Amino acid sequence: MSPRSPSVNEELRRRSRERLLQATVELVDERGYEATTLGDIACRAGSARGLISYYFPGKRQLLQSAVHRLMHHSLQAALEREPVPAGEDAGRERLARAIDAILGLAQERPLLMRTHMAGILTAEGFIQCPEQQRLAFLLRDTVERYGSKDADTDYRLLRALLMGSVVAVLLPGAPMPAARLRAELFQRYGLDWELGVPPSEGPDAPLEGPPPLLTPAPEGPTPLPEPSPLPEPSPLPEQSPTADSPAAAEG
């Protein structure tokens, strides 16, 4: 049997890595980060346990790469969904789809995305793995097609806004509604509410427009509160005459 060519070996390594990343997403989404071991991931992927160490320094790095791959695939599917954005409004439609795709992941996979965001804030920080670089390319291309004159800076700003929105959706005890965050982002970028996939039961459901960004104030001036009545003054106590008082002098 002739040895495999380098291209075949490269494809086998790529497939092996992909299986590990997919298994990580599935298991952490099902069980959580702490309850998922590297052995579990290798077993689900049908790979040897030592193969994980060949590709990734540790479980935290593996999870980041796995979630970045999921985000890249979700974003790519949204941008390529029929009808593909075209014409002069294509850039705005692409940006709307990108925002909806990332916010959608926070709603569909809350445990996985919360774990991912918590991992970014650890000592290892943000890992620029190949999966993250593919995601970054799509987001940068999106802001460039939107009309950015400084795509590098605007990509980083969009990334920060999306990360902040995901945290706000997933914040335990004080989550923000995804529709409100979407309205804020759409207002910032001048996007019509009907672009992308507005929050609803489905893309064909009737839409009623974005929620108000702020609670409207009542019409007219706000009435001043009624002043509280002043307390009655207490009577002064009677003073006994002293040697210097007029009464004492008369005596």
Side-chain angles (χ1 to χ4, degrees):
M1 176 182 289
S2 58
R4 291 194 294 258
S5 65
S7 61
V8 171
N9 287 331
E10 181 63 28
E11 177 62 17
L12 291 174
R13 285 193 291 269
R14 186 193 67 79
R15 293 182 184 180
S16 177
R17 182 186 174 93
E18 289 284 306
R19 288 196 301 268
L20 290 171
L21 294 170
Q22 181 62 31
T24 302
V25 164
E26 293 173 0
L27 288 171
V28 174
D29 200 28
E30 294 169 8
R31 307 177 185 178
Y33 180 77
E34 298 298 336
T36 300
T37 67
L38 293 178
D40 296 332
I41 294 171
C43 183
R44 175 71 66 92
S47 303
R49 164 67 177 79
L51 198 59
I52 296 179
S53 301
Y54 175 77
Y55 291 117
F56 307 98
K59 189 168 75 167
R60 184 68 67 183
Q61 293 85 350
L62 169 58
L63 176 63
Q64 273 204 46
S65 295
V67 176
H68 283 143
R69 170 181 175 270
L70 173 66
M71 295 171 71
H72 170 252
H73 286 183
S74 298
L75 178 57
Q76 187 172 40
L79 296 176
E80 295 177 355
R81 187 180 65 245
E82 295 290 344
V84 176
E88 62 182 21
D89 211 32
R92 299 171 71 246
E93 171 66 20
R94 287 177 66 87
L95 181 56
R97 291 188 184 192
I99 293 171
D100 286 338
I102 302 304
L103 288 178
L105 280 177
Q107 296 174 281
E108 295 162 10
R109 297 175 180 262
L111 176 59
L112 178 69
M113 295 301 290
R114 186 180 292 117
T115 306
H116 172 63
M117 297 308 298
I120 289 177
L121 298 177
T122 61
E124 290 87 351
F126 192 73
I127 300 169
Q128 296 186 358
C129 56
E131 289 72 25
Q132 187 277 329
Q133 291 171 3
R134 296 187 191 103
L135 173 63
F137 175 83
L138 271 187
L139 283 176
R140 188 189 181 285
D141 180 68
T142 297
V143 296
E144 194 168 25
R145 296 195 192 197
Y146 169 73
S148 169
K149 304 301 183 184
D150 185 357
D152 290 333
T153 299
D154 289 336
Y155 150 68
R156 290 193 294 270
L157 178 58
L158 175 62
R159 182 182 66 189
L161 291 170
L162 290 174
M163 290 172 68
S165 297
V166 169
V167 170
V169 169
L170 301 174
L171 187 63
M176 282 285 292
R180 176 60 57 86
L181 294 163
R182 182 184 195 267
E184 294 282 352
L185 290 169
F186 272 44
Q187 183 188 56
R188 176 183 180 83
Y189 289 103
L191 304 176
D192 297 332
W193 182 255
E194 293 75 16
L195 294 175
V197 183
S200 60
E201 295 180 357
D204 298 325
L207 305 174
E208 298 180 357
L213 297 180
L214 298 174
T215 303
E219 294 183 2
T222 303
L224 296 174
E226 293 291 334
S228 303
L230 296 175
E232 292 292 333
S234 303
L236 295 174
E238 293 186 1
Q239 296 181 349
S240 53
T242 63
D244 297 330
S245 66
E250 294 175 0

